[in-house]
Amino acid sequence: MARAQLEAAPAWTVDLRSTFAALAGADATVTDGASLAPLLVKDEPPAPRALYWPFPGYGTQEAVREGSWKLVRTGMAQRKRAWEPEEGWQLYDLAKDPKETTDVAAAHPDIVERLAARRILAGVPVSRLEPGRPELADLILVASTET
């Protein structure tokens, strides 16, 4: 990777363990992270993937990030029943709006639906997913609120 180069692909702290393992010649597949070694050594961007994170603070929130799209829902604790309709999704195109100032959910209902559906699978351990479902292989749970 060239000096002072900015890479827009999302990464999170678990990627560091995989990266250090790969750079040291160890098995980098033992964590949920993706190795960033190809980016650092060969200037190859990481493979596309989706990130999901729940957050219990501020009335309970959750988000899904896929490419430049970020889907956010806040105020989940205010729902009275778990089966109530899931409303309040906000969608941002971070390539055009990195400060998340313009909600574009109404203009892209297909993206909202796709990302909202993907986040349901985030809490499912990889070992319990059906074999042969490559569309799920890139979904990464960034943080879990479970203890």
Side-chain angles (χ1 to χ4, degrees), residues 1 22-23 35-46:
M1 179 178 221
L23 291 173
S35 173
L36 303 174
L39 173 66
L40 299 172
V41 176
K42 302 176 188 171
D43 205 23
E44 295 176 3

Side-chain angles (χ1 to χ4, degrees), residues 1-3 14 17 19 21 23-24 30 34 46-47 52 61 68 71 74-75 94 98 103 123 129 141 143:
M1 179 178 221
R3 290 185 78 182
V14 175
R17 182 175 179 193
T19 301
L23 291 173
V30 295
Y52 167 75
Q61 305 176 35
S68 67
L71 185 67
T74 61
L94 300 179
D103 178 8
L129 293 176
L141 175 64

Side-chain angles (χ1 to χ4, degrees), residues 98-145:
K99 293 184 179 181
E100 301 176 22
T101 59
T102 306
D103 178 8
V104 295
H108 301 283
D110 55 327
I111 295 171
V112 171
E113 182 179 350
R114 184 181 80 238
L115 294 181
R118 294 199 73 188
R119 69 94 175 67
I120 292 170
L121 299 169
V124 179
V126 173
S127 62
R128 297 194 57 204
L129 293 176
E130 294 178 37
R133 299 280 308 270
E135 72 275 13
L136 305 179
D138 68 338
L139 185 64
I140 303 295
L141 175 64
V142 173
S144 176
T145 57

Side-chain angles (χ1 to χ4, degrees), residues 5-52:
Q5 181 177 334
L6 177 65
E7 174 58 48
W12 63 303
T13 54
V14 175
D15 294 340
L16 295 176
R17 182 175 179 193
S18 295
T19 301
F20 296 149
L23 291 173
D27 183 8
T29 62
V30 295
T31 73
D32 287 337
S35 173
L36 303 174
L39 173 66
L40 299 172
V41 176
K42 302 176 188 171
D43 205 23
E44 295 176 3
R49 61 183 171 164
L51 303 175
Y52 167 75

